[in-house]
Structure formats: structure tokens, C-alpha cells
Amino acid sequence: MAEKVVMPKMGATMESGTILRWFKEEGDQVVAGEPLLEILTDKISMELEAETSGILLKVYSGPDEVVPVHQVIAYIGEEGENIPDSPGSPTMKSLDSIPSQQEEGEQDLRLNLKDQGSIPNKLRRTPAARKLAQAKGIDLYLVKGSGANGRIHRKDVEAYIQAQQQVQVKATPLARKIAEEQQIDLTVVQGTGTNGKIVRQDVWKERQEIQELPAHDQIPSAKKRMKVEGIRKVIGQRMLQSTTTIPHVTIVTEVDMTRCKELRNELLAMIEKQTGCRLSYTEIFVKFVASALRRHPKLNATLKDDYVVFNPEVNIGLAVSIDEGLLVPVIKNADQKGLQALVEECKGLRSLALESRLKPDQLTGGTFTISNLGMYAIDAFTPIINPPESAILGVGRIGEKLVGISGQIELRPMVTLSLSFDHRIIDGAPAAAFLTDLKELLENPYQIMA
Amino acid sequence: MRTLSYMEAVREAMCQEMRKNEDVFIMGEDIGIYGGPFGLTNGMIEEFGPDRVRNTPISEAAISGCAVGAAVMGMRPIVDLQFSDFITIAIDNVANQAAKLRYMFGGKGKVPMVLRTPGGSGAGFAAQHSQSLEAWTAHIPGLKVVQPSTPYDAKGLMKAALDDDNPVLFYEHKLLYSMKGEVPEELYSIPLGKADIKKEGTDVTIVATSLMVHRSLEAARQLELEGISVEVIDPRTLVPLDEDTIIQSVKKTGRVVVVYEAVKRGGYGAEIASMIAESEAFDYLDAPIVRLGGAAVPMPSSPILEKKAVPQVEDIIRGVKSTLVD
Amino acid sequence: MLEITNLSKQRREHLLDLLYQMELIRTFEEKVEKLFQQGKIHGTMHLCIGQEATAVGACAVLDKQDKIVSTHRGHGHAIAKGMEINRMMAELLGRATGYCKGKGGSMHIADLDIGNLGANGIVGAGLPIATGAALASKLKKLGYVVLCFFGDGATNEGAFHEALNLASIWKLPVVFLCENNQYAMSGSVKEMFNIEHIAERATAYGIPGIVIDGNNLFEIMETVEEAVERARNGEGPTLLEAKTYRWRGHSRSDARKYRTRDEEEYWRTHKDPIAIYRNQLMKEGILTEEGYKAIQVRVQNEIEDAVGYAENSPLPSLDTLEDDVYA
């Protein structure tokens, strides 16, 4: 019995997903667990693994197609098994069915070949070419026909598919975009991702081998255009949504990181030995923010319609900068994890984010976000809240500053914290109280033991 | 296995059946001692006598009508129409009588007659002795139409035609009469309505009848050398037509050339092409259906024009290649 | 019996010309037979050797405007009606210069200009056509008579009966001349008829039926002339039956198993129309040995020229294939 492959509902709010590309073709052998296709949902792209083994009998939706969740996108089973001609039909359809049934069941191609009124020149294609294009979800207007009068034959469609696939050297969408922008030939790039897939680093490395400049900081010699799409588009939309619907207020404080520094130095060696990773201030911030949030549930809440939902878990999202934009992997129950666990998790998530290999559940469920620009020469800034959360903490650089302590001027490692909050549900005082508590904790870390 | 000529194969089927069944007899012009203009009935009158091998005057209308009457009354006559062109004189009895009798009488009565006749051009017999008119009779409901291309097919189909309780038109080809092939000695039957894949292939399907089967096979052989794999299908029976075999082949290859000697316009190959276009094979077509048929002219007598008037091997090769896109 | 003494010079020349015509026909047929065996003529041949008298005798008494309708065995009719052997030979050899541009061949040779409405491959098909041509003559008052040649075999086709009846009831100017050469391909008249003379069938249609010796030129001329007069005078058709014999088989592939060599020998020896006529002329002093030889030589030369003409003529161009299908 052939198994369905459906567009999964990866998050509570997910309505549909966009297919980026299939790793397998109709007729290919598929092993359960191996990557089957890549989809884009909201702001993240992710690989979907096959859940069963068998032959990929049929693929209904192709690249760039938007598919509602739970809709069947493919079938895996044994060769020769009967499967519906289109995903919607509940029964096997014979080819003698009347045309109207055919139209209903047919996948929604970008090109509706029956609606030719709006098309100035009718497309010439053989039935076999059309059949193949439909199966692979190919827009026939993109295919060059080699037959009489520009007629598209089956082999023209096959050639188009092949060309696409050749261009489709296995690479992540990000790597591909970078490569396109940087005009790097993907076929020469060595892939270090799953199954030799090319990830962003690989392209960047390639880029660096060509020039010793950070890829994204160079002004092009000629005017360049990059289409706003994919993740960039999603981020843009969400930023717009956030800033236009949430009344942001940002409050700022400076924190003396002397004690945190000590803490770090104390634990650095041990944690490195245990995890192989170096404890960074990020994890420290995560730990203390999570602790502070425990005492200020409003900043850990989410606004849903008319309700303020107080979340029982403290899930801290860590903004990670990638070339394409921003990813925010989430550390669940951050308050319950020791620094060692946090180090491992943060580093792990960061890696995954850079390679775009984050799973959906690693990107959802956050209750508070930390955005750290401390690696740059940034003191304070106005972070934008990550909906549906109600606040976000921006962290600047730690730098030596002159401060007054009990009448004395001393050089101390100081960091500026910028807290943006949703003024619909949090007023200035509670926000200030939280920030004050946080500062307190960071400057007196042992308090966390209490 | 021994070989027989196409002509001998037809004769053997008739003789073996006539030995078994007394009701079978044959009527025709010059089929007695003369043995027919091609010698097909040689030896028959000597074996079966003048009652069962009836040499008639030149009266095609009377003979064919006579066959209808005898058939209705329980006999199983064979009419030998000396040239298929003479169907013009016999047509009323074939189309208006034999074909329709059972239906008109509400299912009472049957006309188990076989009208066998040679058609086709290439012997220089000119306009009135070279036609391929099988489409005329294929058009008439109530008739079955058979067109064997090899000695083996000829014997088996003749047996099936003789067994059939309906009027059967059996179209031979005068140029195939001397063709030799393996033919089993026993009497065997090839079911009517079953096509034969004369050659398997993967790139292009040719559906051809009668003499054109052989020209197509030659074309296929030459195309094979160029790496083009051609499948040649011989329907063998025109009515009823084995649509399924043809459809499956076209689904496989996606390209089809229909080759027939009859005038292209309105020839039976036009029916085959239409059937393919209406079938599920349509979705698999990667090139338009190609038809190769005879020129729309009365058959000229000069050999150079006679050759030009019907599909030759080169024409078939060209036709096949036209379905393949560069 | 005709009075052949006291003939005018013109008449003598005419009679000699008839001998020349018969000789021409026979030599033409023999030549064509040879060419066919050599493979230079494609298709099939139906030779009228032994039947020259009916063709020549009948056409001799026709006016120039009168028409003939011929059969598949029509070379003799064509030559007797005045068609040129050059162009006939070219047609048989499939040349563009043939009467039918190489498209008709032996069985369909025709020349409407000269009044030959064509040889026909379908046995009996000529009779209704002849009837129709006669109808046109009557309706349009054109005054010509149609002479329809056909064989014994044709008289068993429905078309024969229908045409005779029609011509009779409409009193059409047509003469039906049956060349009974005793065999319809292999079917002998003894086998295929239950009557002795085909001419008897005339009574069924209310027209005169006359039996004549098909190898006696004078008899043929006399009888046909009377029938033609009747037709021209509006008295309707006549059925003439000329008993004759074809020396060769029906066509090239005929082994002639259906008749005996003795029979063939008899007709050749005793019923050769050319020999009979030649003797008649010699007896009357119209023809001498030298004169006959001269005719033979002349005929030979003309045949050779015809073959030369035909062989040097071009084949039809391939792009003429589809010409002349429609007017």
C-alpha cells in the first residue's frame, strides 16, 4: 500500500509551505530517514526526511509550489502500485473521466494551460511534453521548444529538467543565493553538508579563495540586483509587522561585567574540557536572563488576541546572524539548564543555524529573545520584538569604561543592555524592574544560587 | 517447418476446410482448370469437382448474390473475386445484402460467406485492376474485413474467416502471392481482431497493412542501423480492429506512422490514425501522427508513375524520421 | 457474296488498304508480344491476333464522325479506327508521348478526338457507355452512330442486358458487335451459355440479332453497314455476333489448358482472316504476291519506326502524377 507524503504542519500557525526542491525524482529508491525534499515555511527552510522506504512513485508538487499543510505531495510505495493521478482525488481516476473532473483534481500549476484567453501566443507542446511537465511541476513557458513552430517536445522538457538539476547542484538555498550573487560556480564548490551538500561556509570559503574579502561587505563594481524573496522577504515582513503593530519602547542600562568575567574565567577551562566548546558571554546572558524572567513573568508572556498568555517555560531565542538574514534558534527551558548544557546547546544551535539545518521545533516556542551585537562596536540599539513575544533584549559590546564606584573612578568592563518591550501589555515600570533585576544578577552572579 | 507461398497457404486453408466440411464451396471466374489468373486455385477442381469448385460466367453481381442466398440457406460459400476492383459490380450484394441481412431481419439468419480477392498495385495492371478498396467494405457495418500480410497469417486467417458466421472480406495482395514463409501443415486458426507485432521496437511505432508491412520492416531494418528502433504492428484484421495492441505500442513509443497502400484520403489508415488520437495514447504522443498513403490518383500504368503513387521504403523512412525531433 | 469485279480504282485501293490494316494489326500485336516477353512492356497484354477482321471490317464502314467503344483487347479496334501506331506503342511502353500520357496503358488506350471512346478493363462496362454516347448523339442531333465492341464473356454481365434494353427502348443509334472468340478468358461458351448463338439474346430486347462469320471481312462489312444504316435512320440498335477465335491465350500468363491444340490449329489453318481475305483479293486479281510482300515490308518498317519512336520518347515526369485527376 503506497504511503502518502504530506506537507507537514511544522508549527501551530503554519498554513502552507513552499517546496524548494526535491532531492529525489519519481522512480527513485527512497530510504526512510534520508532527506526527501526541502521546504520553506515562514522564515525557515528545512529538509524533510522520508518516513518510509520504497520507490518515489509520484510527485505532485514541484519547486516553488505553495502547498497547504496536510496536502499530499507525493507517494512512496512499490513499483506498479496504483496511485491517484492527482493528490485531491479520493479514488483512482480512469483516463476516461470527463474533463471537469480532470480539472478539479489537477494540481494548481502556475500555468493553467486551459486558460488561454489571457495568453497572447498559444503554447505548442506535444501531449507527452505536457504530461511530463505536469508531473514535474514545470512551467512550459520556461521551456524552449525544438519542434516545428517552436513546438515543445518531451525531450525539450527533459533537457530543461536536466539543466535545472545541473544548476541544482546540491546546495542550500542560502549557499545558492550567495553563489549567485557572488557569481560563484557551484559545480566547483566542495560541499561539506549532508550528502556533500554545499552550505554557506563552503561557498564563502570558495569566495575567499578568490578574494580575501568578507563576501557580503563588498560594494559590487556594477549595479547589482538581488530579489527580495525567501528568508529575506519573510524577515522583512515580520519586522514590518512587528514594528507596525507593537508599540515599542526601549529602555537602556549599563551593567558592570566584572563578576561575570570572573565567573567566566573560573568555568572556562572546565566547560571546554567537558564540551569542547568555549563558554562565551552569550550563554551567561542566557542563563541570567532566564533566571530574571522567572521573577518577571510578564516579560515572558505572549499576547494572543485579547489575552496575555503567561508561558510556563522560559524559552530563550538567540538571534543568529546569517548572510541572508536572521535566524532565532530557541533554547528551551533555559532557566533549568546549567552553563555547560547551555554552552553545548547554544553552540550547537548556532552551528545548525549557520548551516540552515535547524529543525522547526528548534525555531519555535520562544518566549523571549536575546540579540547580541557585542561582537561589533555597538553599545546600545533598539531591537525589534520577535512576535508573538513581548520583549527582546539587545546586548552591546563589553568594553572598558570609566565608572564611578563609591566615589572612585575605576575602569570596569561595562556592557549596555537595551530592552525593547511591548507597551500594550508591559508598562515602563515593570520593564524597568526586570532590567534592574537582570543588572543586579549579572553584577552579583551568586544571587542566582538563591 | 516447410515453407509455402502466400497463394499456396490460402489454397491450403480452403482445401483443408473443404475436405472437412461439405458445405464449403467456391465460386469464381476462371477458377477451374485455369486455376485462376495467378494460379491460386490450381488443382482444386481436380480434387473437389465442378460442383464445389464452380467456374462461373463473368457475372460478379450474380455470383455474389448467389453466395448470399446459399449462405442464408446453410452453406458456406467462398466467392473468388478475380480482382478486388470488381467489387464495384458485386457491391450491392456485399453491402446491401450480405452485410445487413441479419440485422434487418432482427437477428434471424446469418450470412457465413467469405469473399476473397487480390488487391494492390505494382504489377502494371493500371487503374481498374490495381486498387486497394478495403476501406469501402470496412465502412459497412455487418462486414468483417481481413488483410493478411504473410503466408502464415493468410492460412490462419482464412481458416478463421471460414469459421466465422459473418460475411468476411479477405483482401490478398497480388504482389504477395509468391512470397514464401513458414506455414504449419495442420489447419490452424488465427483469431480475427488480433493484431501482430511483426517487430518490436522502442522509438517509433509503424502500423502497416498488407504489402506495406514488408516495406515497413525493410525501412525498420535500415533505420536500426542509424540507431532508431522501430516497432512494426500489423493489424491483420481491419474490422474488428485490435485497438489495444496499437494503443499500447503508441503509449510506449510516443510516435506513430500509419502506412497503407490505399489512397491516403479516406483510406482505412485514416481510421487507425483517428482512433489513436482519440485514445489514451494521445497523452503520450510526442509528435503528430503521420499517415503515409497512396496518391489521390487512379493508378497510372507507366511503372515510374505507378511507383510514385504508393508509399515506398524511402517514404516510410522519411516518415519515421519526421516524428523524431532533432 | 460481294461482287468484287468491276471495281473502281478507289475501291481497289480501299480494299488493299483494309488488308494493310489487318496486316498492321497482326504485326503490331506480334511485336508487342515480343516486347512484353523482353520485359519492355510492363503489366499485361491482351492480343487480338486472329480477330483482325472484325475490327477492320466494322471500322471500314463507319464515317469519320462515328464512334467506337472498345474492350481490354482493343489494339486492333484502335488501329482500325485510325489511331497512330507510334503513339500507341509509346503508350504501351509507358511514355509521356503515348495517347494517354503513359497513364492508361494497354487496357485503357483511347483517343476521343478520333472517336475511340476507349478500351476498358472492366468486362461489359463499354456497353452502357456506348448507349450513353448514342443517347447524346440522338438528343443533340449530332448524327453519329456508336459501334460497341465486346466479347462473349461480357454478355453474361448485367450491364450487357441493361444496356441493350435501354438502347432498344430509346431507339438509340448504336450497333452492338459481339466478337465471340469462344472463350471468356478460360470460360468456354459451351460451358457458360445455354444457347448456341449469343445473337439469340437480341429477341429478349426486341432488336435484330445476326450471326456472322467473324473471319470474313466482306461479310462483316456488309452486315455492319446495314446495322449502321438502321441506327443512323433512327431504327434503333442491332446485336451482331461475329464468330471468331483468338489465337493467343487470354493474356500473357495463360497456359491455355482449357482448350486443345487441335482446336487452335484448326482455327489458325482454316479460319485465318488475313489469309482468307488475301486469297479473296488475289483471286479477284486485286492483289499480287509482290503487292502483298510490299504490304508486309511496309508494315514491318512502320512497326520498327513505331518502336523506335516509343523507345526514344521520354518517360512521364514524376510531377505529372497528380495531373488530370479532375477537370
Side-chain angles (χ1 to χ4, degrees), chain C residues 268-286:
Chain C
R268 269 205 307 275
T269 320
H270 298 101
K271 299 283 193 171
D272 179 353
I274 293 178
I276 292 171
Y277 185 62
R278 196 177 63 230
N279 290 338
Q280 283 171 324
L281 290 183
M282 282 192 179
K283 197 148 152 252
E284 299 301 321
I286 298 171

Side-chain angles (χ1 to χ4, degrees), chain B residues 253-264:
Chain B
T253 63
R255 298 176 190 85
V256 62
V257 178
V258 185
V259 187
Y260 49 109
E261 181 173 336
V263 169
K264 182 175 175 184

Side-chain angles (χ1 to χ4, degrees), chain B residues 30 34 58-60 128 301-302, chain C residues 94 102 105 108 121 156-157 186 254:
Chain B
D30 305 297
Y34 194 71
I58 307 180
S59 308
E60 294 82 4
Q128 296 166 332
S301 72
S302 182
Chain C
H108 312 104
N156 283 327
E157 283 282 12
S186 73
D254 186 0

Side-chain angles (χ1 to χ4, degrees), chain A residues 72-86:
Chain A
V72 177
I73 51 176
Y75 271 95
I76 294 174
E78 320 242 19
E79 212 173 318
E81 278 193 72
N82 258 334
I83 41 168
D85 284 322
S86 63

Side-chain angles (χ1 to χ4, degrees), chain C residues 18-30:
Chain C
L18 296 180
L19 176 63
Y20 154 77
Q21 281 183 36
M22 287 203 285
E23 200 64 43
L24 184 63
I25 291 172
R26 182 167 294 180
T27 315
F28 181 92
E29 295 291 73
E30 286 167 346

Side-chain angles (χ1 to χ4, degrees), chain C residues 16 24 46 57 66 94 106 118 124 127 137 156 170 182 208-209 285 288 299 305:
Chain C
L16 286 169
L24 184 63
H46 305 93
D66 292 330
S106 167
L127 285 104
S137 178
N156 283 327
W170 289 348
Q182 316 304 312
T288 61
V299 161
D305 286 347

